[in-house]
Each structure stands twice: as structure tokens, then as C-alpha cells.
């Protein structure tokens, strides 16, 4: 009898992987183990405007009915505590053990902790729905919120807090917000939007000390300024969850190290999503770890295909978005691969920066604007990046030239029709 | 049932493109396919309420601008995560250079 497929971590990636296994026609046991009490859910809404609603709800990736209909066993509120690679079993915190044929680790990432004494109950992190609800309770007029770290999650939360009338200070040690991965020109637009909405954005100042008496947090900045708040939300990045994999002796390299097919150093164990580092083909196999929602989704599906023996290499281009106030930012590719930029101005103040490598190859595109003004061009740019295209600087810079025309004539890129059956070796679907 | 409303002129939409059309408090997306046929769906994505007309049309697929969920705009079928709920389609005809939608 088949031991089946086991997925550890019931987040975006694990949830998508479980669904994909069934969509691919696998009919052996599929078990999804997660330590949170919820159905697999989407994290991006946790820091966005959805949080400003009176009763924030989980945005589930699949309902109980869908999981039941697809015979996906979801074990929640239980942690996987050890992998016995020789016996092909996973031990769970409730004392039970699950056998597996193939195992997928989709354990995600967890907020980087601020390495400082003095943090108490008023200093919190945001990763889970439970975290979001706890923070939500403090977001109201009259309350003071200190956001420590000018990264995406902190800035989005700052916008949500302003919407609810709280006063907000963002504290960033670097000279500007969004130092990592976002061009200065775009970070500046976001900075100005926050200032216009009444956020006090303090950059270039480290924190000297923090005092949290359980009722109030006092943040002392290196420059001498003191910021008092009812709540401090710390958003200084995330670290991959690798403990389980490391204890099982799997190779770790800024995340669980996997190959292009998402296979770890054990051929029967795969890893995908925020927890893994993998070779990114579009940049010649540069090893990266992404913390991005679409990557988690795509790698979950790719992991499922490869657990079933598809032998398919990761080929996607990284893509990320963020929403703050009415602004939406989208980034395709990794802009640090670029050596020069070309700017394309769209309507309503929206613009895109195309990042070119030395030899003129398009390697990334970063765009910002109201609503979804940059979405279409960013998506087309993503396809051009995937094709390793070298579009002319003039074409990129002039909004009248349609990017779609640059993809033609051969148009090797198509929008994958999710309904098509992938090519899998015969016999693997029904063990 | 048969209330055909004029959405736009046939030439208003490029081939393999999409346009937003608002009518009677509702919003629709009108498509022109690469083989020069016209189609219509509800205007808002079934994942979050985002206007599909800002998205990208390639062949039979409209891709949502927000999170890249996909629909076949000819059938309304959801074709790629995160969308899992199909989108409603409406009959379209072209008459004397006008694109008409039966919004029912
Ligand atoms: C507030 C917030 C906003 C975000 N906004 C955006 C955005 O706008 N755009 C974007 O592209 N990305 C965004 N992201 C990032 C995106 O949500 C992540 O990239 C994505 O959730 C990663 O999915 P994952 O499944 O790999 O990991 P996770 O979603 O972290 O899921 C991993 C799950 O595994 C569980 N787990 C870990 N170890 C074990 C174990 N041993 N046993 C059982 N369960 C375990 C964890 O508790 C967790 O539930 C955001 C993230 C957050 C937190
Ligand atoms: S709003 Fe359309 S895919 Fe999310």
C-alpha cells in the first residue's frame, strides 16, 4: 500500500501543493500537517486594508469541504517534530507518526527577532492571523503605534493603522525605507505617501534601547529622540524555518537547500516556498530564497509535480507586489541584477523602472502607481525577463511602444492555461 | 432577457485586448480575441474585487492584474491560482460596427 505524500506546513505553499497533487490525479494518501489552528490561508491581507475591517476574517486557500472532497487530510494545531529519513516517517507533536513516500517541507519563514533586551508584551511581530488580530485590537484613534523597520509588512501595517486613525511612527535604521530590493526612486514615492497620510517616518536612526512596561513602549533612538507608543510592531525581516530539516541532517544554505527541481539533499524530501533556497535559472543559477506569495504558490505546485516524478526545473521569474493607501507596487525580477535603469512614465503618475544588465539584457522591472496602473506592463516585462530579452532602451522608455509588441513575433511565452494536464510519467499517479 | 446594450465601437478595443464597460451600476469586461471575436465577462475578479480590464489578455486567457489569477474569457472558467471561482460570461454580438452585450 502507498505510504503517500506528506506536506509539513499548511500555509500558502503547503496548501497549494496538496491541491495540486489531487489536480494532477494522484490518488494515494495526501496529508497536510500544520501547527496553526486554521485552514491554509493567505497571509498578504494580514497587513493590508483588509485588516482595517471591523471583523477581519481568514482568507482560506481551500475550505473544509474542498479538502474533504479532494480527500486531503488536514491535521491542524500539530507540529512535525522529527523526520526519520531511514524509516520514511515524520513524528508529530501529538505522538503519532506519519509514513511517507515523498515529503514536502513548506515550513515558511518566521519574523526575525529584534536582538535587544527590554521587549515585553507591547512589542509584537506580524506573521499569523492570530498576530494580526492581536495587533488589530490596538489600531484605533488615540492610540500610538511604533513600527520598527521600514519594510513592506511594517509599511503596509502603518497604512492600515492610519486608516483606523491611530498615530504612527515608522523607525528605520537604514538611510531610507525599503532598502532591500526597491529602487530609491520608488521608495521615495512610498515615503512621501506615508508622510502625506500623517505618518512620522524616521530614517537613518538606530535604536539605542527599548523599555516596555506592559502598558507602554518607549523606544530610545541613537540620536537621542524618544518615541512612546501603545504598541510597537517589529518588522525587520524574516528567517526561514529550517529546524526540522536541519535536525534531519538536510543541507541548509540560507534556507533548506534544494536543487532546481526543489529536491533537498534527500531525494525523497522536497522543500518549497519561503523556507527554501534554490537556484534561480533566469540569473544563471544564482541561489536565492524568496519571501513572496506567488513564489510560494508556484513552488507548491512545482513541488507537487516533482513529487510525482515530473522532473521539472523551476523556471519562473520572481514577482512581488505591495499595496499601501491607493498605491500599488509590483516588482518582477531582482533589481540588484541590473546595472542601469530606463524609466517609462505611464498615466496618473505611475511609472516603471526597467533594470538592465551590462549587456543590455532586461533583468528586472519595478513599477508603482495608483490602482493597478503598472500591472500589465510589469507582467509583460516579466515575460521579457524570462525570455532573457534585450529590448531597446528607446522602446522601453516610450509608453507608446506596447511591450506586448516586443514579445512578438515568436511569442514563445503563453499564459499557462492551468487546466492543461502536465506530462508525468505513467503509473506514478496511482501508487 | 434580451436587453442588448451597446458597450463600445468594434474598433475601440485592440485585438487581444480588453476594455472596461460600466452599465446600470454594474461593471463588465469586454474582450477582443486574437482571431477578432468579441466576448464579455463580469468586470471584477472572483478572488478580490479587482477590475480585470487592467489585466493582460493572451490568447483565450485574461490574467488578473492584482495577483495573476487566470480565466478563460470565452468560457469563464477559472484557469489558475489563486482564482478558483469561475467568472460569469455574457453573450456578445457585433452589429453595424457596434459591440453589443446581452447583460440579462
Ligand atoms: C503580513 C504579511 C504580508 C505579506 N504580504 C505579501 C505581499 O503583499 N506580497 C507578496 O508577494 N508576499 C507577501 N507576503 C509573503 C507571503 O505571505 C509568503 O511568501 C507566503 O506566505 C509563504 O508561504 P509558505 O507556505 O512558504 O510559508 P507560510 O505561509 O509561512 O506557511 C508555513 C506554515 O508552516 C507552519 N509550520 C512551520 N513549521 C512547522 C512544523 N514543524 N510543523 C507544522 N507546521 C509548521 C507555519 O506555522 C505556517 O503556518 C506577506 C507575508 C506576511 C506575513
Ligand atoms: S484579485 Fe484577481 S487574482 Fe486576486
Amino acid at each position: 500500500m502507498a505510504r503517500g505524500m506528506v506536506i509539513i506546513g499548511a500555509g500558502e505553499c503547503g496548501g497549494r501543493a496538496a491541491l495540486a497533487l489531487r489536480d494532477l490525479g494522484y490518488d494515494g494518501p495526501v496529508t497536510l500537517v500544520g501547527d496553526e489552528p486554521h485552514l491554509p490561508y493567505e497571509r498578504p491581507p494580514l497587513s493590508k486594508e483588509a485588516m482595517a475591517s471591523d471583523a477581519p476574517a481568514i482568507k482560506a486557500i481551500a475550505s473544509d469541504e474542498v479538502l474533504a472532497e479532494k480527500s486531503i487530510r488536514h491535521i491542524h494545531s500539530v507540529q512535525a517534530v522529527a523526520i526519520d529519513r531511514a524509516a520514511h516517517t515524520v513524528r508529530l507533536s501529538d505522538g503519532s507518526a506519519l509514513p511517507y513516500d515523498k515529503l514536502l517541507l513548506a515550513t515558511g519563514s518566521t519574523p526575525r527577532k529584534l536582538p535587544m533586551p527590554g521587549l515585553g508584551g507591547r512589542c509584537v511581530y506580524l506573521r499569523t492571523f492570530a498576530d494580526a488580530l492581536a495587533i488589530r485590537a490596538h489600531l484605533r484613534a488615540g492610540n500610538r503605534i511604533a513600527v520598527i523597520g521600514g519594510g513592506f509588512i511594517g509599511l503596509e501595517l502603518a497604512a492600515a493603522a492610519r486608516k483606523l486613525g491611530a498615530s504612527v511612527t515608522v523607525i528605520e535604521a537604514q538611510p531610507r525605507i525599503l532598502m532591500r530590493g526597491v529602487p530609491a526612486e520608488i521608495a521615495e514615492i512610498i515615503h512621501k505617501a506615508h508622510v502625506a497620510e500623517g505618518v512620522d517616518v524616521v530614517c537613518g536612526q538606530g535604536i539605542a534601547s527599548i523599555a516596555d512596561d506592559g502598558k507602554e513602549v518607549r523606544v530610545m533612538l541613537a540620536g537621542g529622540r524618544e518615541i512612546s507608543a501603545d504598541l510597537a510592531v517589529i518588522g525587520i525581516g524574516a528567517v526561514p524555518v529550517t529546524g526540522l530539516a536541519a535536525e534531519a541532517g538536510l543541507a541548509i544554505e540560507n534556507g533548506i537547500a534544494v536543487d532546481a527541481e526543489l529536491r533537498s539533499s534527500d531525494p525523497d524530501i522536497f522543500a518549497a516556498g519561503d523556507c527554501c533556497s534554490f537556484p534561480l535559472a533566469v540569473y544563471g543559477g544564482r541561489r536565492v530564497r524568496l519571501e513572496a506569495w506567488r513564489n510560494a504558490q508556484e513552488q507548491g505546485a512545482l513541488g507537487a509535480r516533482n513529487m510525482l516524478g515530473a522532473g521539472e526545473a523551476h523556471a519562473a521569474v520572481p514577482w512581488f507586489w505591495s499595496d499601501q493607501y491607493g498605491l500599488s507596487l509590483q516588482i518582477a525580477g531582482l533589481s540588484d541584477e541590473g546595472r542601469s535603469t530606463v524609466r517609462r512614465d505611464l498615466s496618473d503618475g505611475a511609472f516603471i523602472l526597467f533594470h538592465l544588465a551590462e549587456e543590455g539584457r532586461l533583468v528586472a522591472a519595478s513599477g508603482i502607481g495608483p490602482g493597478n496602473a503598472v500591472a500589465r506592463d510589469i507582467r509583460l516585462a516579466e515575460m521579457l525577463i524570462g525570455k532573457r530579452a534585450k529590448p531597446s532602451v528607446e522602446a522601453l522608455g516610450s509608453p507608446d511602444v506596447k511591450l506586448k509588441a516586443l514579445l512578438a513575433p515568436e511569442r514563445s511565452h503563453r499564459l499557462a492555461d492551468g487546466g492543461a494536464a502536465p506530462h508525468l510519467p505513467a503509473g506514478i499517479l496511482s501508487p | 432577457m434580451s436587453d442588448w446594450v451597446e458597450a463600445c465601437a468594434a474598433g475601440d478595443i485592440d485585438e487581444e485586448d480588453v476594455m472596461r464597460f460600466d452599465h446600470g451600476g454594474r461593471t463588465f469586461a469586454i474582450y477582443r480575441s486574437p482571431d477578432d471575436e468579441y466576448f464579455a465577462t463580469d468586470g471584477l475578479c472572483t478572488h478580490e474585487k479587482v477590475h480585470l480590464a487592467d489585466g493582460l489578455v493572451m490568447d483565450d486567457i485574461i490574467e488578473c492584474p492584482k495577483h495573476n489569477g487566470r480565466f478563460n474569457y470565452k468560457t469563464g472558467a477559472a484557469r489558475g491560482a489563486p482564482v478558483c471561482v469561475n467568472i460569469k460570461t455574457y453573450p456578445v454580438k457585433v452589429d453595424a460596427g457596434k459591440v453589443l452585450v446581452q447583460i440579462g
Side-chain angles (χ1 to χ4, degrees):
Chain A
M1 219 197 81
R3 304 164 72 86
M5 305 295 179
V6 173
I7 300 164
I8 305 299
E12 182 72 42
C13 184
R16 294 288 170 196
L19 293 171
L21 284 169
R22 288 298 183 226
D23 292 345
L24 292 162
Y26 176 73
D27 64 5
V30 174
T31 311
L32 180 60
V33 182
D35 55 8
E36 291 187 67
H38 314 288
L39 286 165
Y41 63 93
E42 298 192 21
R43 280 177 218 286
L46 301 181
S47 50
K48 298 187 174 58
E49 275 202 5
M51 271 318 291
S53 93
D54 289 337
I58 272 195
K59 194 161 174 58
I61 290 160
S63 63
D64 279 316
E65 292 72 46
V66 167
L67 294 179
E69 178 201 315
K70 293 186 185 284
S71 301
I72 294 166
R73 181 172 170 220
H74 175 216
I75 303 178
H76 63 81
S77 313
V78 168
Q79 203 168 28
V81 291
I83 303 168
D84 184 336
R85 288 165 55 188
H88 276 60
T89 55
V90 183
R91 196 153 51 75
L92 306 183
S93 56
D94 64 3
S96 63
L98 285 173
Y100 66 84
D101 287 313
K102 304 276 185 228
L103 180 66
L104 178 67
L105 299 176
T107 49
S109 58
T110 188
R112 183 188 304 280
K113 300 291 180 287
L114 186 63
M116 278 200 143
L119 308 190
R122 295 267 171 162
C123 294
V124 299
Y125 298 88
L126 173 53
R127 181 76 193 171
T128 66
F129 184 66
D131 296 338
L133 282 186
I135 291 170
R136 174 67 182 82
H138 292 273
L139 305 184
R140 57 170 179 273
N143 265 5
R144 301 154 303 163
I145 309 296
V147 172
I148 298 177
F152 284 114
I153 291 178
L155 291 168
E156 289 184 348
L157 186 82
R162 283 301 300 140
K163 195 175 161 109
L164 290 163
S167 62
V168 181
T169 308
V170 173
I171 303 159
E172 168 57 62
Q174 300 287 327
R176 66 164 170 93
I177 58 166
L178 299 172
M179 272 298 266
R180 222 167 33 114
V182 181
E185 253 173 288
I186 288 181
E188 191 189 330
I189 305 280
I190 296 175
H191 185 125
K192 282 185 179 154
H194 280 277
V195 171
E197 298 283 346
V199 176
D200 185 4
V201 185
V202 185
C203 291
Q205 292 233 24
I207 294 173
S209 65
I210 294 188
D212 176 353
D213 64 7
K215 291 196 201 81
E216 190 185 62
V217 190
R218 282 181 302 132
V219 183
M220 267 65 73
L221 300 184
R225 185 175 158 192
E226 185 180 314
I227 292 159
S228 300
D230 301 291
L231 188 74
V233 182
I234 302 165
I236 55 169
V239 291
V241 177
T242 57
L244 187 65
E247 271 172 43
L250 300 179
I252 308 289
E253 205 180 327
N254 176 31
I256 304 166
V258 295
D259 64 14
E261 295 175 16
L262 307 182
R263 197 178 281 104
S264 75
S265 52
D266 178 325
D268 289 330
I269 304 180
F270 294 75
D274 279 19
C275 69
C276 80
S277 71
F278 65 99
L280 194 52
V282 71
Y283 303 134
R286 166 182 169 191
R287 181 163 288 275
V288 298
R289 188 175 69 80
L290 302 177
E291 288 164 12
W293 173 86
R294 198 176 83 189
N295 176 64
Q297 185 179 292
E298 286 169 348
Q299 287 197 339
L302 179 62
R305 294 199 288 279
N306 288 337
M307 287 165 92
L308 298 177
E312 183 183 329
H314 180 276
V317 172
W319 178 86
F320 182 87
W321 95 97
S322 172
D323 300 326
Q324 291 161 52
Y325 310 107
L327 288 174
S328 189
L329 160 130
Q330 292 198 4
I331 299 178
L334 302 178
S335 60
D336 66 356
E337 289 276 329
R339 292 292 166 269
S340 61
T341 59
V342 180
R343 179 173 164 138
R344 165 182 283 234
D345 282 293
L346 309 173
S347 52
D348 301 324
F351 67 91
I352 292 178
L353 297 177
F354 295 103
H355 308 271
L356 303 174
E358 234 146 63
E359 73 290 1
R361 199 183 121 196
L362 180 65
V363 286
S366 319
I368 189 154
N372 291 307
V374 301
R376 201 184 292 203
D377 276 357
I378 291 288
R379 185 65 174 107
L380 288 161
E382 183 195 326
M383 294 181 188
L384 289 166
I385 296 164
K387 279 180 70 170
R388 296 154 173 76
K390 293 182 182 174
S392 81
V393 167
E394 295 71 39
L396 290 176
S398 60
D400 301 337
V401 178
K402 287 197 167 190
L403 292 186
K404 211 182 207 176
L406 304 180
L407 269 179
E410 71 270 48
R411 266 275 290 275
S412 65
H413 259 270
R414 300 262 153 197
L415 295 178
D417 184 327
H423 299 288
L424 292 172
I428 195 94
L429 298 178
S430 308
Chain B
M1 249 326 275
S2 63
D3 43 346
W4 290 91
V5 295
E6 182 183 329
C8 59
D12 288 350
I13 314 176
D14 287 343
E15 261 179 38
E16 201 177 46
D17 210 344
V18 57
M19 205 177 94
R20 176 173 163 182
F21 169 57
D22 293 344
H23 181 83
R26 293 159 69 188
T27 184
F28 304 88
I30 315 290
Y31 308 84
R32 182 170 172 187
S33 71
D35 42 12
D36 208 14
E37 284 185 273
Y38 292 79
F39 298 88
T41 69
D42 269 338
L44 300 179
C45 184
T46 60
H47 179 234
E48 288 172 15
K49 294 189 181 341
V50 164
H51 284 284
L52 288 174
D54 290 326
L56 179 66
V57 178
M58 283 250 186
D59 303 316
D60 296 353
I61 301 290
I62 172 72
E63 191 180 68
C64 175
K66 192 82 240 177
H67 314 115
N68 307 150
R70 286 168 201 160
F71 301 94
N72 180 318
Y73 58 81
K74 298 184 174 177
T75 64
R79 284 314 217 172
V83 302
C84 45
V85 176
N86 295 346
I87 194 154
K88 194 167 160 35
T89 59
Y90 300 88
V92 178
K93 65 181 179 192
V94 182
D95 191 10
K98 306 285 183 203
V99 179
L100 306 173
V101 190
Q102 189 179 36
I103 58 180

